[in-house]
Amino acid sequence: MSNLSLPSSSKLLDHDFVFGVATSSFQIEGAADSRLESIWDTFCATPGKISDASNGLVACEHVKFWREDVELIDSLGVDAYRFSISWPRVVKKDGSLNDKGMQFYIDLVEELVKRNIKPFVTLYHWDLPQHLEEKGGWLNRETAFHFEHYVNLVAKALGDRVYAYATLNEPFCSAYLGYENGVHAPGKRGQANGRKSAHHLLLAHGLGIRALRRNCPDTKAGIVLNFTPCYPETQVAEDIKAAKIADDYINQWYMRPVMEGLYPDVVELIEPQNRPDILPGDMDLISQRLDFLGVNFYTRLKYRSDGKGWYEELQPKGVVTTDMGWEVYPKALSELLISLHQRYTLPPVYITENGAAMQDEIKHGRVNDQDRIDYFQSHLNAVDDASQQGVDIAGYFAWSLMDNFEWAEGYEKRFGIVYVDYLTQSRTIKDSGLAYKQLITSR
Ligand code: FCB
């Protein structure tokens, strides 16, 4: 097993740089009988949606084993733990607080604080209460106001014991995968659905920030966006233009409203009836000042022109990929961070997710995942490069703490730095987890 390392001059080794691990509620918690249903329960119960026909009813049984899991997190020596709150666990159908559900997170946060591990809370990591979906979900503007109410309840209960709150995780995935191409819950399709739900999600972000400022003004508040940088297949002008359209449609559609209160120019290429319904005041709410930007990064994609003024996405071919089929291309991470820094006035950036699914095998209690260590090393180098070039990067979170329910891929894809045996729920730190710990504790 090789170690992870950084040059001794690296800012990532400064004492205030935060190293963490990340998870999300639906992917690990289980204990579905003690919460309301979410859109992911419904989606999982629909035949053909999840590749191994699994669901989140049991998952990693984190609600049962959370004390052991916190012990495990602590044993890795990390500074922070990023997790999400399950909205259907903490708010009842009538909008009142579910005390028992909230107590779970109060206890978790207290235990983390006691151990000097910074809690990074994500308020929405895709598990919308099913009863709200039945009223239109993110296609209904009202959902954004339900979100504000939920954020109020959480912020009152957890307050500034939380180090940093993120309103949303990856609104691109909720809107595009959930409402435009339908591969994620709730499985709706169509451009108008995708664009309108994206706007309501961004509005929810703005209302959420307002609720956080009101209730816990001294805690950091931000958002987590995912970026899949778009590269042209060739240097021909049409392909360069296609890659730019793709970037606007996929990445900047979320980034620009949040940073500048404007949708990217690509909105003009969309049929008027498919465009978002923007009311006066929306864009101001969406572009409030943030304390941090969370960046999730896994891979890049290549594009070419479809000959009709739009883009065509290419499948990675002849390149190194992870078990997800995603190209390993760390240079895109440094280029992304530098380009965001050049283009926008950024708050401090946390890399809130980065990691890889690999074909792990457990043998005699050990997982030798050198491929994952290599992935982490090359991406940490990319973060370090960007930091040396002036991007203010405050932290890095490995996705994920442990193997878990990987959405439409079920349990077949393993992203953890800890191996989970789903039959016994035993956890085994993989070699990548040991290497990560070694890097962190050697600072
Ligand atoms: C991100 C999600 C996270 C996990 C990783 C692999 O898009 O935020 O929950 O599924 O991808």
Side-chain angles (χ1 to χ4, degrees):
M1 175 195 119
S2 68
N3 286 334
L4 288 169
S5 64
L6 285 161
S8 59
S9 61
S10 173
K11 283 198 178 142
L12 277 62
L13 297 176
D14 285 358
H15 74 278
D16 56 351
F17 188 89
V18 172
F19 277 104
V21 284
T23 62
S24 90
S25 49
F26 191 84
Q27 295 179 278
I28 66 164
E29 283 183 357
D33 51 354
S34 52
R35 58 160 172 78
L36 296 180
E37 280 191 352
S38 84
I39 54 174
W40 274 93
D41 295 302
T42 313
F43 196 67
C44 291
T46 313
K49 299 296 184 193
I50 311 297
S51 69
D52 61 358
S54 64
N55 56 51
L57 299 179
V58 176
C60 307
E61 285 190 76
H62 170 70
V63 167
K64 182 163 167 202
F65 296 115
W66 74 270
R67 287 189 183 276
E68 287 85 345
D69 288 339
V70 172
E71 184 76 52
L72 180 69
I73 294 166
D74 203 1
S75 82
L76 291 169
V78 294
D79 309 304
Y81 174 43
R82 173 174 178 250
F83 61 95
S84 79
I85 296 197
S86 159
W87 184 351
R89 190 177 291 291
V90 300
V91 185
K92 296 188 192 163
K93 235 178 184 158
D94 64 6
S96 66
L97 183 72
N98 178 335
D99 291 298
K100 199 162 162 252
M102 186 58 86
Q103 194 59 46
F104 169 70
Y105 297 107
I106 295 175
D107 293 344
L108 174 62
V109 165
E110 277 179 355
E111 187 60 31
L112 291 169
V113 171
K114 205 162 90 194
R115 291 172 184 261
N116 226 351
I117 300 167
K118 294 180 169 65
F120 275 64
V121 164
T122 308
L123 290 155
Y124 185 71
H125 201 124
W126 311 352
D127 41 0
L128 183 73
Q130 175 62 29
H131 66 94
L132 292 179
E133 179 56 35
E134 274 145 35
K135 294 192 189 118
W138 289 111
L139 295 174
N140 182 351
R141 189 178 164 90
E142 277 305 301
T143 300
F145 295 89
H146 287 290
F147 179 77
E148 181 181 28
H149 172 72
Y150 151 66
V151 176
N152 257 320
L153 293 177
V154 175
K156 281 203 173 77
L158 301 179
D160 56 15
R161 284 175 288 189
V162 168
Y163 183 78
Y165 288 98
T167 51
L168 307 178
N169 176 70
E170 305 189 348
F172 160 82
C173 293
S174 303
Y176 185 79
L177 303 181
Y179 290 85
E180 189 157 336
N181 83 352
V183 301
H184 277 188
K188 297 237 159 84
R189 291 204 174 95
Q191 189 178 55
N193 285 340
R195 299 299 118 182
K196 288 174 202 290
S197 61
H199 184 68
H200 295 148
L201 279 149
L202 289 169
L203 177 63
H205 156 73
L207 294 166
I209 292 289
R210 191 170 73 175
L212 291 169
R213 298 294 186 212
R214 198 162 48 216
N215 289 289
C216 34
D218 299 329
T219 301
K220 293 185 200 303
I223 188 171
V224 171
L225 302 180
N226 59 308
F227 292 87
T228 306
C230 304
Y231 287 73
E233 180 187 32
T234 70
Q235 287 309 309
V236 169
E238 287 76 39
D239 287 346
I240 294 177
K241 192 170 161 220
K244 160 86 169 76
I245 295 175
D247 182 53
D248 275 1
Y249 200 69
I250 291 164
N251 301 312
Q252 310 306 331
W253 193 273
Y254 306 88
M255 182 65 176
R256 193 164 182 218
V258 165
M259 292 293 143
E260 298 179 340
L262 289 169
Y263 280 104
D265 300 341
V266 72
V267 76
E268 303 297 332
L269 299 179
I270 296 173
E271 295 287 329
Q273 72 274 15
N274 290 353
R275 293 180 195 167
D277 305 312
I278 306 170
L279 297 194
D282 285 4
M283 299 316 281
D284 289 339
L285 271 170
I286 292 170
S287 57
Q288 289 166 84
R289 183 189 63 76
L290 300 181
D291 301 313
F292 73 93
L293 171 71
V295 170
N296 291 356
F297 175 89
Y298 291 92
T299 190
R300 67 147 174 187
L301 280 167
K302 284 191 179 175
Y303 295 87
R304 66 168 166 235
S305 163
D306 73 346
K308 292 178 250 162
W310 200 248
Y311 60 80
E312 209 175 280
E313 184 188 305
L314 304 172
Q315 292 305 315
K317 255 194 239 124
V319 294
V320 180
T321 60
T322 67
D323 199 27
M324 295 292 278
W326 297 347
E327 182 184 3
V328 178
Y329 193 75
K331 197 167 171 237
L333 176 54
S334 41
E335 289 182 347
L336 165 74
L337 293 167
I338 292 161
S339 73
L340 292 177
H341 171 64
Q342 286 168 347
R343 178 159 173 196
Y344 299 102
T345 309
L346 295 180
V349 171
Y350 290 92
I351 309 304
T352 30
E353 283 180 30
N354 179 233
M358 297 294 183
Q359 281 184 8
D360 299 323
E361 265 180 72
I362 186 155
K363 273 196 207 132
H364 311 296
R366 178 172 171 207
V367 180
N368 178 349
D369 56 342
Q370 186 58 46
D371 44 7
R372 186 177 285 104
I373 297 179
D374 295 343
Y375 182 97
F376 280 127
Q377 182 64 64
S378 58
H379 288 76
L380 284 166
N381 291 344
V383 177
D384 186 45
D385 280 352
S387 135
Q388 280 186 34
Q389 294 187 52
V391 188
D392 181 4
I393 304 163
Y396 176 94
F397 291 75
W399 182 271
S400 173
L401 163 66
M402 58 185 162
D403 297 334
N404 57 49
F405 175 77
E406 178 45 38
W407 309 112
E409 304 296 329
Y411 296 95
E412 285 170 347
K413 304 293 179 211
R414 293 180 176 269
F415 271 93
I417 60 172
V418 171
Y419 187 90
V420 176
D421 176 335
Y422 294 111
L423 293 175
T424 61
Q425 289 298 352
S426 74
R427 316 324 196 192
T428 305
I429 303 180
K430 300 177 192 177
D431 282 2
S432 59
L434 298 173
Y436 196 50
K437 169 180 182 167
Q438 206 272 332
L439 169 74
I440 295 168
T441 53
S442 69
R443 287 173 299 170

